[in-house]
Each structure stands twice: as C-alpha cells, then as structure tokens.
C-alpha cells in the first residue's frame, strides 16, 4: 500500500473514531452512561459494530475517550479564559472560576462529575483529570513560587490540594438545587483559598542610580 493510500485509510479511521466519540458524547450527556447501550451508539452514529470495536474494546473504553475529550475541552476553556493575564496567580484564579462555571454545563456535569467517578472509579477518574488540570495548576503555582509567594517545596502538594478543591466544589455545584448560587459561593471560596495560600509578592528592591 502506497503512502497516499495509507494516509487516506488513517484519515478515514480517525474520522470514524471522531464520529463515534461525538455521538457517544451526546448520548452519555443526555441519557447517562447506564442508559446508553452500544446498540444505541451504533444506530445513532451509523457505523458498523466492527468499526466501533476496532477503535474501542468496550463501552467503558468509549466512555473514557469521551471523558478525555471533555477534559481537553475544559482545559482549553480555562486557558482561553486566562489568556493575556500577566499575573499567573490571577490567571489561575480566573481559570479556576471558568472551570466552576463550566461545571454547570449539563454535558460536563453528567459525564465528568457524575458518571466518571462511578464508571471508572475514583482513582482512574482523578488520574485522567490530573493529566489535564494538574499541569496547568502546577505551572501557575511554580510561577508564584518563582515570585516568592509560595515555598518551592509546596508547589506539587498545593497543586493537588487546589485540584481536589476545584473538583469537590464543582461536584457541589453540579448537585446543588440552585447551581447559580452554589457557583457564586464556589467562586468566592476559591478566591479566598488562593489568597490564603499565596502570600503577597515580595517587592523588588529599588535600583540604585549609576553615578
């Protein structure tokens, strides 16, 4: 098989995979994991059973792919929300608020916050989330440490603490009777937590004028 034919086959395979993930995302977000069968995904996506199982060994594997795509979307949204903010700590705050706001999205609430822990187990869910959110938090905290606002040896553990706090707050918002009110309280709590964790930046010493 020549290179062009190989590339066409690979592109077709990627298109089929994306189609399956897109269809499954819609179904999982509206009906939930348990109520969504592989047969329903096949019927709605229009792909063959063989094509689906070529890309995904099981329904859980398909759900994992949907979750990873959703986590990538969340990570990109937090990056976009904080783009252009020079202060990395303020960018972290704004990115965290964007995440809490996204937790009100029905699809994110159902797939990321409700079904993911139950379907994959707590540890695997946290491992997947950490691949996307943990690096962003750690980078912001490292910048804060570089500015003297945080002990360098606390960067890693604080990143875990903040990630856990964000996830727990998002779960509270997702399950609240009044999600808007819960989101407002969540944003306030996030701001106060960050303010308490990070000391004010050390002022730069004044530069002496050359004689």
């Amino acid at each position: 098989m020549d290179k062009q034919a190989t590339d066409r086959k690979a592109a077709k395979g990627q298109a089929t995979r994306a189609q399956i993930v897109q269809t499954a995302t819609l179904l999982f977000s509206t009906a939930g994991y348990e109520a969504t069968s592989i047969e329903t995904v096949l019927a709605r996506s229009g792909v063959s059973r063989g094509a689906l199982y070529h890309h995904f060994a099981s329904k859980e594997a398909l759900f994992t792919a949907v979750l990873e795509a959703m986590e990538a979307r969340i990570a990109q949204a937090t990056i976009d929300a904080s783009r252009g903010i020079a202060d990395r700590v303020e960018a972290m705050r704004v990115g965290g608020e964007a995440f809490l706001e996204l937790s009100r999205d029905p699809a994110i609430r159902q797939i990321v916050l409700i079904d993911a822990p139950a379907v994959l187990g707590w540890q695997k869910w946290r491992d997947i989330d950490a691949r996307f959110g943990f690096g962003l938090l750690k980078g912001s905290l490292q910048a804060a440490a570089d500015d003297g606002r945080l002990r360098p040896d606390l960067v890693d553990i604080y990143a875990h603490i903040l990630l856990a706090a964000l996830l727990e707050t998002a779960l509270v918002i997702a399950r609240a009777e009044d999600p808007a009110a819960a989101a407002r309280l969540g944003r306030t709590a996030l701001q106060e937590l960050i303010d308490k964790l990070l000391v004010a930046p050390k002022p730069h010493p004044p530069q002496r004028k050359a004689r």
Side-chain angles (χ1 to χ4, degrees), residues 12-14 16 33 55 70 79 131 150 169 171 173 175:
K12 183 178 179 181
Q14 287 301 311
T16 299
Y33 178 83
H55 294 285
M70 195 73 75
I79 291 171
R131 292 211 317 266
L150 175 67
T169 304
L171 283 168
I173 295 170
R175 296 188 168 111

Side-chain angles (χ1 to χ4, degrees), residues 88-89 91-92 132-147 150 155-156 159:
R88 290 292 296 274
V89 175
M92 178 175 61
F132 294 91
F134 183 74
L136 297 176
L137 279 174
K138 190 172 180 179
S140 296
L141 289 171
Q142 184 60 58
D146 293 342
D147 287 341
L150 175 67
V155 167
D156 189 77

